[in-house]
Amino acid sequence: MTEGPLIALEGIGRSYGAGEAEVRALERVDLTIRRGEFVAIMGPSGSGKSTAMNIIGCLDRPTSGRYLFEGTDVSGLDRDGRALLRRHFLGFVFQGFNLLPRTTALENVELPLIYKGLPRAERIEKAQRALARVGLAGREHHDPSQLSGGQQQRVAIARALAGEPAVILADEPTGNLDSQRSHEIMQLMQALNREGITIVMVTHEEDIAAYAGRLVVFTDGHLTRDEPVRARA
Amino acid sequence: MLWETIRLAFIAIVRNKLRSFLTVLGVVIGVAAVIAMVTVGQGSSAQVSANVASLGTNVLILRPGKRMMGPGTRDTSPAFTLRDVEALEELPVIRAVSPNTSASQTVVFGNANATTSITGTTAAYLTVANWVLAGGRAFTPAEERQGAAVCILGETVRQKLFGAADPLGQTVRIKSISCLVVGLLEAKGAGSFGQDQDDLVLMPIRTVQRRLVGNQDVSGMSVALQDGVSATRGIRDIGALLRERRRIGPADEENFSVTDMKEIASMLTSINTVLAGLLSSVAAVSLLVGGIGIMNIMLVSVTERTREIGIRLAVGATAGQVLTQFLVEAVVLSVLGGMIGIALGLALALVASRYMLIPFTPDPLVVLMAFGFSAVVGVIFGYFPARRAARLDPIEALRHQ
């Protein structure tokens, strides 16, 4: 493990189309995230915050610039290379929960461990531990349809946790939840961060961003603000 | 990992039971058809071979009438007579001749009756047609000469009339004749055309001629050749004799036919083979259609499960793993279909064999091939949808509603 930053975006650009029709979603973005940080990314729609998130999550690749993950340039990785990086180092939490329907909570949490090639007994043990960590012990065999929105998002967080990733990427994790559930989820995220887990979260709600330790704002494809969060709830 | 994938495939299939069933129906029908056709075909070929063996060696069948008759032509060829039989017996190439003349009659014993074919013949018939006596005796030369009221029962008739009782020495009634049962035939089973060979009663030919049909005709003869005499030579010598006796000029067409039973048997076998081949190709087409059905449903499934694919890609599945998952699903589907088809096909073949009175001889090689073929169908028709799934962009897939 290097002592350098976990994530380093250097002059990252992402454009779609070519020539006259070229759309620049991101331009010359520099962003460094250290191990253990809790970063909230904000910005209006079309500001490039989701594009940045996708690049950090290795779901997308930049058209220019360098992306260093733990000091290694990963911007040139192919599809499968990025899949392996996601498998071993990244955990995702989405706005729409994105759980597999008609699949129990436990099986959902096991999913990344299957691709990691863990034996069944170990998978079940880790998945159970992750579910217990998010407060869902005893709900292992519930279907997503039998769980409330907040519980479903907890399952998704457990899934992201189970693979013991270097960083959890949360894309509007509270977007589909009412305010009370939102705050419960954020308290959970904050607790996880205090245990040492690095979190990068996209949101458009100020009070949600307030749970983070650092706020990054995108406007028109540029990183326009980067400051510590003053008031922590 | 592969086991995990197969397990996942099963879960996905079980989730949509009805749809999965309808999807594999094409493969089920295709495989069932192939299995049933081939099994029945092989059974009836086995039956034909068994019949050829039971005919004994070198048997020729003689019938009056021209070999080839166009539709609407009336055959006026005269029947054979018992004098023809005697003349043939003199030929050196011939070991035995048995004449026959048949009539359909009802045989009555007590309250039981059976409508069967009464074959008038001689004791030589047993040798020529390879019959074995299960009990009693054949006709004596005296009974044959006198046209005595004696008979030998086939197994089917014996069962219908006597059941468990002993028929030997009993008297059955055929038309107005009271007929003494002197012998019983051992069962032969079904013939090449699926007919029951044991459904007959033998009587001396003179008895049948005088008391059942009322003429002196011999409607056919079976001839056993001497050992070492070829069928060709037998046909030539018999032909020459009959042409002379029936006064057919050298330029005229024969008004009788001499047929080698082996020739008929091999013809039947080749008809069987051609039929089985034709039906199997129809079945192969239905397998192809079944494969297209699988491809269609797999494409629908990939579209429906786009989000699931996105989730799997996000948590680190490689394109190859997604491809494998959907390919395995298609193969599991078609192999399941294949297995149901094999079971169904064998059941159909069993029922058909019983009905057609042929042996049921399932061929493990054919079953294995049908199984392999259904797996291949899954791979071929599952590949395209699976590749489509594997090539999805994770971001697009996750956004899919």
Side-chain angles (χ1 to χ4, degrees):
Chain A
M1 290 275 170
T2 49
E3 276 308 303
L6 180 64
I7 288 167
L9 304 184
E10 297 178 353
I12 290 288
R14 178 69 170 100
S15 50
Y16 300 95
E20 290 290 307
E22 188 177 7
V23 177
R24 290 180 181 171
L26 283 181
E27 275 187 278
R28 293 189 304 280
V29 171
D30 295 298
L31 175 65
T32 306
I33 297 168
R34 285 181 314 280
R35 221 172 290 279
E37 275 195 287
F38 187 170
V39 181
I41 298 177
M42 291 192 72
S45 329
S47 62
K49 63 180 191 301
S50 289
T51 306
M53 191 67 163
N54 287 336
I55 287 173
I56 294 171
C58 281
L59 290 167
D60 195 4
R61 57 201 295 188
T63 39
S64 60
R66 289 210 307 166
Y67 173 15
L68 301 177
F69 189 91
E70 290 194 330
T72 309
D73 188 357
V74 295
S75 35
L77 285 180
D78 63 3
R79 251 181 91 96
D80 281 353
R82 280 178 279 137
L84 291 175
L85 189 85
R86 292 195 296 270
R87 179 188 300 179
H88 292 288
F89 299 102
L90 306 174
F92 291 88
V93 178
F94 303 98
Q95 177 176 2
F97 318 138
N98 275 339
L99 299 176
L100 295 188
R102 287 171 292 185
T103 305
T104 65
L106 189 71
E107 284 170 338
N108 264 294
V109 177
E110 264 187 71
L111 194 65
L113 305 178
I114 290 175
Y115 290 112
K116 275 192 160 185
L118 264 58
R120 193 175 157 75
E122 197 180 336
R123 283 198 320 253
I124 291 174
E125 193 221 305
K126 287 200 174 192
Q128 277 171 336
R129 218 188 307 143
L131 279 170
R133 178 64 196 86
V134 299
L136 285 178
R139 309 266 168 150
E140 286 89 348
H141 300 292
H142 285 55
D143 261 21
S145 59
Q146 296 169 298
L147 297 170
S148 70
Q151 287 171 328
Q152 287 187 50
Q153 194 60 298
R154 282 169 193 271
V155 175
I157 293 169
R159 180 177 64 194
L161 273 177
E164 290 158 7
V167 56
I168 287 182
L169 302 167
D171 192 354
E172 307 239 17
T174 59
N176 284 12
L177 299 175
D178 62 35
S179 104
Q180 199 201 328
R181 303 291 157 245
S182 296
H183 286 288
E184 282 169 16
I185 289 292
M186 288 322 295
Q187 277 154 17
L188 173 64
M189 300 272 267
Q190 209 169 44
L192 293 172
N193 176 246
R194 284 186 184 133
E195 286 168 23
I197 294 167
T198 311
I199 299 175
V200 181
M201 173 183 75
V202 166
T203 183
H204 59 264
E205 291 165 84
E206 297 273 358
D207 57 337
I208 295 301
Y211 282 93
R214 177 180 167 197
L215 178 67
V216 171
V217 178
F218 280 87
T219 320
D220 295 334
H222 294 276
L223 200 160
T224 47
R225 249 167 74 196
D226 185 355
E227 60 194 24
V229 173
R230 282 173 299 269
R232 281 187 90 155
Chain B
M1 189 69 210
L2 185 66
W3 270 118
E4 200 59 46
T5 317
I6 292 173
R7 198 178 65 90
L8 277 173
F10 265 105
I11 292 170
I13 287 163
V14 170
R15 244 177 229 157
N16 277 309
K17 281 187 203 77
L18 180 63
R19 188 165 89 180
S20 304
F21 175 71
L22 292 176
T23 305
V24 299
L25 204 54
V27 173
V28 169
I29 291 170
V31 170
V34 172
I35 293 280
M37 292 310 153
V38 175
T39 308
V40 169
Q42 284 181 343
S44 83
S45 294
Q47 177 69 27
V48 170
S49 323
N51 284 344
V52 172
S54 82
L55 280 172
T57 45
N58 278 357
V59 173
L60 302 179
I61 303 294
L62 278 57
R63 298 228 166 267
K66 294 183 170 103
R67 214 171 233 281
M68 295 291 181
M69 279 193 295
T73 38
R74 243 175 77 224
D75 189 51
T76 51
S77 315
F80 299 127
T81 64
L82 286 173
R83 278 183 300 282
D84 290 326
V85 178
E86 284 156 17
L88 280 171
E89 277 168 345
E90 302 299 313
L91 273 181
V93 293
I94 285 175
R95 184 156 57 97
V97 181
S98 76
N100 60 71
T101 267
S102 297
S104 182
Q105 285 295 339
T106 304
V107 185
V108 182
F109 177 74
N111 290 330
N113 66 77
T115 300
T116 184
S117 153
I118 313 290
T119 301
T121 185
T122 59
Y125 184 68
L126 299 181
T127 326
V128 176
N130 236 25
W131 283 103
V132 179
L133 283 173
R137 56 171 178 86
F139 308 131
T140 64
E143 285 168 343
E144 286 174 4
R145 262 198 318 276
Q146 294 155 9
V150 289
C151 60
I152 299 174
L153 304 185
E155 176 61 17
T156 305
V157 179
R158 184 198 68 73
Q159 266 181 12
K160 278 190 194 159
L161 295 185
F162 292 94
D166 180 14
L168 290 175
Q170 301 283 358
T171 305
V172 296
R173 198 163 50 75
I174 301 170
K175 219 170 169 185
S176 58
I177 320 167
S178 286
C179 192
L180 180 70
V181 179
V182 297
L184 299 170
L185 296 173
E186 216 163 68
K188 257 191 181 181
S192 312
F193 304 97
Q195 80 278 22
D196 182 0
Q197 300 186 102
D198 300 316
D199 191 6
L200 87 171
V201 169
L202 302 182
M203 288 176 83
I205 187 163
R206 282 202 163 86
T207 320
V208 174
Q209 285 176 334
R210 283 181 203 155
R211 302 178 71 172
L212 292 180
V213 292
N215 60 39
Q216 298 295 306
D217 293 350
V218 170
S219 55
M221 291 185 270
S222 302
V223 172
L225 297 174
Q226 295 286 4
D227 288 340
V229 173
S230 72
T232 326
R233 193 176 144 207
I235 291 169
R236 195 192 60 206
D237 288 7
I238 291 167
L241 178 73
L242 287 177
R243 284 181 84 97
E244 194 190 308
R245 290 188 59 82
R246 292 164 80 88
R247 296 193 181 80
I248 301 164
D252 293 332
E253 206 187 340
E254 287 177 346
N255 61 1
F256 62 91
S257 65
V258 184
T259 317
D260 183 0
M261 277 312 282
K262 287 225 170 74
E263 196 183 303
I264 289 181
S266 71
M267 204 170 75
L268 274 177
T269 310
S270 64
I271 289 173
N272 262 332
T273 315
V274 170
L275 262 181
L278 268 175
L279 291 167
S280 297
S281 47
V282 171
V285 170
S286 91
L287 259 183
L288 182 80
V289 174
I292 294 169
I294 287 184
M295 176 148 85
N296 185 23
I297 286 297
M298 288 308 294
L299 281 173
V300 170
S301 177
V302 167
T303 310
E304 259 186 10
R305 289 155 68 192
T306 298
R307 226 171 148 81
E308 174 191 328
I309 296 162
I311 296 167
R312 290 180 183 278
L313 289 169
V315 302
T318 59
Q321 284 169 326
V322 172
L323 182 100
T324 310
Q325 184 194 339
F326 281 87
L327 202 55
V328 164
E329 214 164 286
V331 172
V332 167
L333 257 182
S334 66
V335 163
L336 272 181
M339 290 197 291
I340 298 172
I342 287 168
L344 192 68
L346 287 178
L348 279 175
L350 182 66
V351 171
S353 315
R354 286 277 157 79
Y355 186 72
M356 292 162 68
L357 298 168
I358 58 169
F360 174 62
T361 52
D363 185 345
L365 186 73
V366 171
V367 169
L368 212 69
M369 270 172 59
F371 186 81
F373 202 61
S374 59
V376 168
V377 163
V379 171
I380 292 171
F381 292 96
Y383 182 75
F384 177 67
R387 200 186 55 169
R388 175 174 280 197
R391 286 189 176 176
L392 284 175
D393 174 47
I395 301 168
E396 293 292 327
L398 282 167
R399 234 179 257 152
H400 190 267
Q401 286 309 313

